[in-house]
């Protein structure tokens, strides 16, 4: 795995990838970001394309990422994360709707836990999931960052 920390308008992000795909995109300061393992090595340019995509995203010029992702988790978590990737840029859905899309409308809490365990923020857009009453709830990077990302995607602001 190669890793790199970048500074963005929403704070420091830890990026980690193997030869096949991105495995981690986490807010470096939230205490939940993984620490670089002994077998991880600093990035020497392998992550440049992703960094360019993130810059374009924060500038409001990119709506869809091309960087391959391969989050590691349980089959249920991976199913939730795959559904997150289907939420269009600039749109939001509730946890209940996400559970319905998975075919299990009673799994709202499990969906919330899986959403909160997302190891690849922004590219797997867990920030697009909101409370059933439209309120912003739960986000690993913090609610102000969730609000900023949603505003960016609605064209209300640019973060660069």
């Amino acid at each position: 795995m190669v890793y790199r920390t970048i500074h963005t308008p929403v704070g420091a992000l830890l990026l980690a990838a193997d030869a096949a795909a991105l495995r981690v995109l986490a807010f470096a300061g939230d205490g939940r970001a993984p620490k670089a393992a002994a077998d991880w090595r600093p990035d020497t340019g392998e992550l440049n394309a992703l960094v360019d995509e993130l810059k374009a995203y924060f500038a409001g010029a990119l709506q869809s990422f091309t960087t391959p992702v391969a989050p590691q988790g349980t089959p249920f978590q991976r199913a939730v994360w795959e559904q997150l990737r289907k939420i269009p840029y600039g749109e939001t859905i509730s946890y209940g709707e996400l559970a319905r899309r998975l075919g299990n409308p009673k799994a709202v809490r499990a969906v919330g836990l899986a959403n909160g365990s997302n190891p690849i923020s922004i590219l797997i857009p867990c920030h697009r999931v909101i409370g059933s009453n439209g309120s912003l709830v739960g986000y690993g990077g913090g609610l102000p960052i969730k609000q900023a990302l949603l505003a960016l995607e609605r064209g209300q602001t640019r973060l660069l």
Side-chain angles (χ1 to χ4, degrees):
M1 293 264 272
V2 296
Y3 74 98
R4 178 176 182 177
T5 299
I6 64 169
H7 297 282
T8 75
V10 295
L13 298 176
L14 171 68
L15 317 174
D18 60 19
L22 182 67
R23 301 290 180 164
V24 174
L25 193 159
F27 292 93
D30 79 354
R32 297 183 320 152
K35 304 293 182 225
D39 61 340
W40 290 16
R41 65 176 177 75
D43 173 46
T44 57
E46 298 92 338
L47 296 171
N48 285 350
L50 171 59
V51 171
D52 289 344
E53 283 193 323
L54 287 166
K55 286 179 183 176
Y57 170 80
F58 288 121
L62 180 77
Q63 295 184 4
S64 179
F65 291 91
T66 61
T67 299
V69 297
Q72 297 179 4
T74 67
F76 180 78
Q77 288 173 324
R78 289 193 312 270
V80 170
W81 301 333
E82 188 57 37
Q83 283 298 315
L84 291 173
R85 297 187 73 199
K86 295 177 182 179
I87 304 169
Y89 181 92
E91 294 184 20
T92 58
I93 66 170
S94 69
Y95 291 95
E97 175 59 25
L98 186 53
R100 282 189 289 283
R101 290 182 184 187
L102 287 163
N104 191 348
K106 294 185 180 187
V108 175
R109 288 183 191 208
V111 163
L113 289 172
N115 195 53
S117 299
N118 175 16
I120 303 176
S121 292
I122 301 172
L123 275 69
I124 298 177
C126 52
H127 61 277
R128 296 180 188 154
V129 182
I130 60 174
S132 61
N133 64 357
S135 64
L136 298 185
V137 293
Y139 189 62
L143 293 182
I145 291 174
K146 182 174 188 164
Q147 184 174 19
L149 293 173
L150 292 174
L152 168 71
E153 292 185 5
R154 290 182 178 134
Q156 297 169 342
T157 187
R158 289 179 172 243
L159 296 179
L160 280 180

